[in-house]
Amino acid sequence: GAMYVEFVNRLLELAQRNLDDIPDNQRDMWVAEMKYLKRGDVFEPPIVAPMPSAEEWTEVFEFKNGWLKCLTWLFDRLDRNGQLSFAAPKLFRWGARDKDSLFVLGDKDPTAEIALQDDITGERITFPQGALAFLKALQGHRPDSFRRCADCGKLFYAPTKKRQAYCSPACQKRAGMKRLRQKENLIDS
């Protein structure tokens, strides 16, 4: 349970991260993170290697951009009450139209790329390596577990019954301060 949730949140963090701002001396951590996410083994921690080559750093960019594209595609469909289906190894359905639908997945190669299809438009997208662990994290959770932060707009995963509106305590605090300042401005006017 919790390991898969952490996996999804780490995947979301990498996908939405601006890698251009990563200093050279921290690139090894992000290459290790990419390899961990590709492996999809949520119980094996990332192994930090020496300074990555230019090819490895390019691979991190491609992996990040591939996941960002797929996560945006997924979120847009769930946000507009889409219904998705995919084969892995059988056909399963999971969508926002049925708020009580739960995702169920069988075993498959953890490094496999998995295709998802929008049942309404017929559009299809292939998720990069690590997709199986990502999909296993969704198992037993509703589509609205994916949310967009009400403060910063970042995608995050919160598979709880409580409707969490913010991706972090910092965003929640910042939003509260904005509301407080707005209230004070109305009183002063």
mmCIF file of all heavy atoms in Angstrom, residues 149-152 164-166 168-188:
data_model
loop_
_atom_site.group_PDB
_atom_site.id
_atom_site.type_symbol
_atom_site.label_atom_id
_atom_site.label_comp_id
_atom_site.label_asym_id
_atom_site.label_seq_id
_atom_site.Cartn_x
_atom_site.Cartn_y
_atom_site.Cartn_z
ATOM 1 N N CYS A 149 -3.269 20.350 -7.163
ATOM 2 C CA CYS A 149 -3.154 21.198 -5.977
ATOM 3 C C CYS A 149 -3.905 22.511 -6.197
ATOM 4 O O CYS A 149 -3.735 23.174 -7.221
ATOM 5 C CB CYS A 149 -1.684 21.471 -5.666
ATOM 6 S SG CYS A 149 -1.440 22.489 -4.209
ATOM 7 N N ALA A 150 -4.735 22.862 -5.233
ATOM 8 C CA ALA A 150 -5.533 24.088 -5.325
ATOM 9 C C ALA A 150 -4.672 25.341 -5.212
ATOM 10 O O ALA A 150 -5.121 26.424 -5.557
ATOM 11 C CB ALA A 150 -6.602 24.095 -4.238
ATOM 12 N N ASP A 151 -3.415 25.198 -4.763
ATOM 13 C CA ASP A 151 -2.536 26.356 -4.637
ATOM 14 C C ASP A 151 -1.543 26.445 -5.792
ATOM 15 O O ASP A 151 -1.524 27.429 -6.512
ATOM 16 C CB ASP A 151 -1.790 26.314 -3.302
ATOM 17 C CG ASP A 151 -0.924 27.538 -3.086
ATOM 18 O OD1 ASP A 151 -1.472 28.660 -3.123
ATOM 19 O OD2 ASP A 151 0.287 27.377 -2.902
ATOM 20 N N CYS A 152 -0.723 25.413 -5.994
ATOM 21 C CA CYS A 152 0.357 25.499 -6.989
ATOM 22 C C CYS A 152 0.005 24.852 -8.327
ATOM 23 O O CYS A 152 0.724 25.043 -9.305
ATOM 24 C CB CYS A 152 1.647 24.894 -6.438
ATOM 25 S SG CYS A 152 1.597 23.098 -6.265
ATOM 26 N N GLN A 164 -8.325 15.736 -0.042
ATOM 27 C CA GLN A 164 -7.151 16.577 0.165
ATOM 28 C C GLN A 164 -7.026 17.540 -1.008
ATOM 29 O O GLN A 164 -6.953 17.123 -2.147
ATOM 30 C CB GLN A 164 -5.911 15.680 0.259
ATOM 31 C CG GLN A 164 -4.649 16.400 0.584
ATOM 32 C CD GLN A 164 -3.485 15.420 0.718
ATOM 33 O OE1 GLN A 164 -3.664 14.274 1.099
ATOM 34 N NE2 GLN A 164 -2.298 15.904 0.411
ATOM 35 N N ALA A 165 -6.999 18.823 -0.735
ATOM 36 C CA ALA A 165 -6.974 19.833 -1.799
ATOM 37 C C ALA A 165 -5.567 20.323 -2.133
ATOM 38 O O ALA A 165 -5.359 20.933 -3.167
ATOM 39 C CB ALA A 165 -7.840 21.019 -1.400
ATOM 40 N N TYR A 166 -4.603 20.069 -1.251
ATOM 41 C CA TYR A 166 -3.252 20.610 -1.438
ATOM 42 C C TYR A 166 -2.228 19.484 -1.491
ATOM 43 O O TYR A 166 -2.364 18.482 -0.788
ATOM 44 C CB TYR A 166 -2.919 21.594 -0.314
ATOM 45 C CG TYR A 166 -3.922 22.721 -0.239
ATOM 46 C CD1 TYR A 166 -4.955 22.688 0.683
ATOM 47 C CD2 TYR A 166 -3.867 23.780 -1.133
ATOM 48 C CE1 TYR A 166 -5.909 23.701 0.726
ATOM 49 C CE2 TYR A 166 -4.801 24.801 -1.097
ATOM 50 C CZ TYR A 166 -5.821 24.753 -0.167
ATOM 51 O OH TYR A 166 -6.762 25.754 -0.139
ATOM 52 N N SER A 168 0.875 19.622 -0.466
ATOM 53 C CA SER A 168 1.809 19.622 0.662
ATOM 54 C C SER A 168 1.303 20.557 1.757
ATOM 55 O O SER A 168 0.475 21.439 1.504
ATOM 56 C CB SER A 168 3.184 20.108 0.181
ATOM 57 O OG SER A 168 3.111 21.481 -0.179
ATOM 58 N N PRO A 169 1.833 20.389 2.964
ATOM 59 C CA PRO A 169 1.470 21.320 4.041
ATOM 60 C C PRO A 169 1.875 22.767 3.698
ATOM 61 O O PRO A 169 1.181 23.706 4.091
ATOM 62 C CB PRO A 169 2.260 20.799 5.245
ATOM 63 C CG PRO A 169 2.472 19.343 4.960
ATOM 64 C CD PRO A 169 2.621 19.258 3.469
ATOM 65 N N ALA A 170 2.971 22.927 2.960
ATOM 66 C CA ALA A 170 3.408 24.284 2.583
ATOM 67 C C ALA A 170 2.361 24.964 1.698
ATOM 68 O O ALA A 170 2.054 26.152 1.894
ATOM 69 C CB ALA A 170 4.750 24.227 1.859
ATOM 70 N N CYS A 171 1.800 24.235 0.737
ATOM 71 C CA CYS A 171 0.765 24.810 -0.132
ATOM 72 C C CYS A 171 -0.505 25.109 0.663
ATOM 73 O O CYS A 171 -1.153 26.129 0.442
ATOM 74 C CB CYS A 171 0.456 23.874 -1.300
ATOM 75 S SG CYS A 171 1.663 23.981 -2.643
ATOM 76 N N GLN A 172 -0.852 24.223 1.590
ATOM 77 C CA GLN A 172 -2.041 24.446 2.413
ATOM 78 C C GLN A 172 -1.868 25.706 3.257
ATOM 79 O O GLN A 172 -2.781 26.533 3.348
ATOM 80 C CB GLN A 172 -2.288 23.234 3.307
ATOM 81 C CG GLN A 172 -3.555 23.327 4.108
ATOM 82 C CD GLN A 172 -3.843 22.036 4.860
ATOM 83 O OE1 GLN A 172 -3.052 21.103 4.872
ATOM 84 N NE2 GLN A 172 -4.997 22.002 5.487
ATOM 85 N N LYS A 173 -0.685 25.875 3.832
ATOM 86 C CA LYS A 173 -0.410 27.054 4.659
ATOM 87 C C LYS A 173 -0.422 28.323 3.807
ATOM 88 O O LYS A 173 -0.999 29.335 4.201
ATOM 89 C CB LYS A 173 0.939 26.900 5.354
ATOM 90 C CG LYS A 173 1.252 28.014 6.308
ATOM 91 C CD LYS A 173 2.544 27.754 7.051
ATOM 92 C CE LYS A 173 2.826 28.886 8.015
ATOM 93 N NZ LYS A 173 4.034 28.665 8.783
ATOM 94 N N ARG A 174 0.205 28.271 2.620
ATOM 95 C CA ARG A 174 0.244 29.431 1.727
ATOM 96 C C ARG A 174 -1.172 29.843 1.319
ATOM 97 O O ARG A 174 -1.517 31.021 1.334
ATOM 98 C CB ARG A 174 1.101 29.111 0.495
ATOM 99 C CG ARG A 174 1.448 30.302 -0.345
ATOM 100 C CD ARG A 174 2.465 30.009 -1.453
ATOM 101 N NE ARG A 174 2.441 28.677 -2.015
ATOM 102 C CZ ARG A 174 3.376 27.741 -1.775
ATOM 103 N NH1 ARG A 174 4.386 27.998 -0.973
ATOM 104 N NH2 ARG A 174 3.275 26.553 -2.331
ATOM 105 N N ALA A 175 -2.024 28.855 1.000
ATOM 106 C CA ALA A 175 -3.405 29.155 0.617
ATOM 107 C C ALA A 175 -4.178 29.766 1.792
ATOM 108 O O ALA A 175 -4.972 30.701 1.613
ATOM 109 C CB ALA A 175 -4.098 27.886 0.124
ATOM 110 N N GLY A 176 -3.924 29.255 2.998
ATOM 111 C CA GLY A 176 -4.575 29.812 4.182
ATOM 112 C C GLY A 176 -4.155 31.259 4.419
ATOM 113 O O GLY A 176 -4.979 32.107 4.776
ATOM 114 N N MET A 177 -2.872 31.538 4.206
ATOM 115 C CA MET A 177 -2.386 32.916 4.372
ATOM 116 C C MET A 177 -3.010 33.844 3.323
ATOM 117 O O MET A 177 -3.351 34.987 3.637
ATOM 118 C CB MET A 177 -0.855 32.956 4.271
ATOM 119 C CG MET A 177 -0.153 32.258 5.432
ATOM 120 S SD MET A 177 -0.604 32.895 7.048
ATOM 121 C CE MET A 177 0.168 34.483 6.997
ATOM 122 N N LYS A 178 -3.178 33.356 2.105
ATOM 123 C CA LYS A 178 -3.827 34.168 1.049
ATOM 124 C C LYS A 178 -5.261 34.504 1.451
ATOM 125 O O LYS A 178 -5.698 35.636 1.311
ATOM 126 C CB LYS A 178 -3.837 33.405 -0.284
ATOM 127 C CG LYS A 178 -2.516 33.380 -1.000
ATOM 128 C CD LYS A 178 -2.659 32.577 -2.285
ATOM 129 C CE LYS A 178 -1.323 32.266 -2.912
ATOM 130 N NZ LYS A 178 -1.439 31.353 -4.056
ATOM 131 N N ARG A 179 -5.973 33.479 1.959
ATOM 132 C CA ARG A 179 -7.362 33.713 2.387
ATOM 133 C C ARG A 179 -7.418 34.719 3.533
ATOM 134 O O ARG A 179 -8.274 35.598 3.555
ATOM 135 C CB ARG A 179 -8.028 32.394 2.791
ATOM 136 C CG ARG A 179 -8.422 31.517 1.636
ATOM 137 C CD ARG A 179 -9.320 30.364 2.067
ATOM 138 N NE ARG A 179 -8.740 29.539 3.116
ATOM 139 C CZ ARG A 179 -7.910 28.507 2.920
ATOM 140 N NH1 ARG A 179 -7.560 28.177 1.699
ATOM 141 N NH2 ARG A 179 -7.465 27.809 3.943
ATOM 142 N N LEU A 180 -6.489 34.591 4.467
ATOM 143 C CA LEU A 180 -6.442 35.506 5.609
ATOM 144 C C LEU A 180 -6.179 36.939 5.137
ATOM 145 O O LEU A 180 -6.859 37.871 5.571
ATOM 146 C CB LEU A 180 -5.358 35.061 6.597
ATOM 147 C CG LEU A 180 -5.212 35.897 7.857
ATOM 148 C CD1 LEU A 180 -6.486 35.831 8.703
ATOM 149 C CD2 LEU A 180 -4.022 35.424 8.663
ATOM 150 N N ARG A 181 -5.217 37.113 4.213
ATOM 151 C CA ARG A 181 -4.912 38.448 3.692
ATOM 152 C C ARG A 181 -6.110 39.034 2.939
ATOM 153 O O ARG A 181 -6.399 40.226 3.047
ATOM 154 C CB ARG A 181 -3.684 38.401 2.779
ATOM 155 C CG ARG A 181 -2.404 38.455 3.581
ATOM 156 C CD ARG A 181 -1.196 38.622 2.675
ATOM 157 N NE ARG A 181 -0.231 37.605 3.059
ATOM 158 C CZ ARG A 181 0.108 36.539 2.355
ATOM 159 N NH1 ARG A 181 -0.399 36.340 1.166
ATOM 160 N NH2 ARG A 181 0.974 35.683 2.807
ATOM 161 N N GLN A 182 -6.797 38.197 2.179
ATOM 162 C CA GLN A 182 -7.982 38.674 1.452
ATOM 163 C C GLN A 182 -9.064 39.122 2.425
ATOM 164 O O GLN A 182 -9.715 40.150 2.231
ATOM 165 C CB GLN A 182 -8.531 37.565 0.539
ATOM 166 C CG GLN A 182 -7.683 37.321 -0.680
ATOM 167 C CD GLN A 182 -8.167 36.106 -1.476
ATOM 168 O OE1 GLN A 182 -8.928 35.285 -0.989
ATOM 169 N NE2 GLN A 182 -7.691 35.995 -2.711
ATOM 170 N N LYS A 183 -9.244 38.340 3.483
ATOM 171 C CA LYS A 183 -10.247 38.682 4.495
ATOM 172 C C LYS A 183 -9.869 40.007 5.171
ATOM 173 O O LYS A 183 -10.711 40.867 5.396
ATOM 174 C CB LYS A 183 -10.337 37.560 5.523
ATOM 175 C CG LYS A 183 -11.594 37.579 6.349
ATOM 176 C CD LYS A 183 -11.604 36.515 7.423
ATOM 177 C CE LYS A 183 -11.818 35.144 6.825
ATOM 178 N NZ LYS A 183 -11.930 34.090 7.858
ATOM 179 N N GLU A 184 -8.587 40.193 5.489
ATOM 180 C CA GLU A 184 -8.119 41.419 6.123
ATOM 181 C C GLU A 184 -8.304 42.615 5.188
ATOM 182 O O GLU A 184 -8.659 43.698 5.623
ATOM 183 C CB GLU A 184 -6.649 41.284 6.522
ATOM 184 C CG GLU A 184 -6.441 40.380 7.726
ATOM 185 C CD GLU A 184 -4.973 40.099 7.997
ATOM 186 O OE1 GLU A 184 -4.104 40.451 7.169
ATOM 187 O OE2 GLU A 184 -4.707 39.487 9.045
ATOM 188 N N ASN A 185 -8.046 42.419 3.904
ATOM 189 C CA ASN A 185 -8.230 43.498 2.915
ATOM 190 C C ASN A 185 -9.688 43.911 2.794
ATOM 191 O O ASN A 185 -10.006 45.078 2.635
ATOM 192 C CB ASN A 185 -7.692 43.092 1.543
ATOM 193 C CG ASN A 185 -6.174 43.076 1.504
ATOM 194 O OD1 ASN A 185 -5.517 43.689 2.359
ATOM 195 N ND2 ASN A 185 -5.608 42.377 0.536
ATOM 196 N N LEU A 186 -10.613 42.924 2.909
ATOM 197 C CA LEU A 186 -12.041 43.237 2.843
ATOM 198 C C LEU A 186 -12.481 44.026 4.067
ATOM 199 O O LEU A 186 -13.285 44.947 3.977
ATOM 200 C CB LEU A 186 -12.858 41.951 2.734
ATOM 201 C CG LEU A 186 -12.824 41.234 1.390
ATOM 202 C CD1 LEU A 186 -13.578 39.905 1.478
ATOM 203 C CD2 LEU A 186 -13.434 42.107 0.312
ATOM 204 N N ILE A 187 -11.900 43.669 5.224
ATOM 205 C CA ILE A 187 -12.260 44.372 6.455
ATOM 206 C C ILE A 187 -11.733 45.807 6.424
ATOM 207 O O ILE A 187 -12.399 46.745 6.841
ATOM 208 C CB ILE A 187 -11.707 43.612 7.703
ATOM 209 C CG1 ILE A 187 -12.427 42.276 7.832
ATOM 210 C CG2 ILE A 187 -11.848 44.436 8.969
ATOM 211 C CD1 ILE A 187 -11.834 41.332 8.859
ATOM 212 N N ASP A 188 -10.513 45.998 5.911
ATOM 213 C CA ASP A 188 -9.900 47.325 5.830
ATOM 214 C C ASP A 188 -10.593 48.228 4.805
ATOM 215 O O ASP A 188 -10.493 49.441 4.903
ATOM 216 C CB ASP A 188 -8.414 47.220 5.463
ATOM 217 C CG ASP A 188 -7.604 46.578 6.591
ATOM 218 O OD1 ASP A 188 -8.112 46.556 7.734
ATOM 219 O OD2 ASP A 188 -6.483 46.109 6.323
#
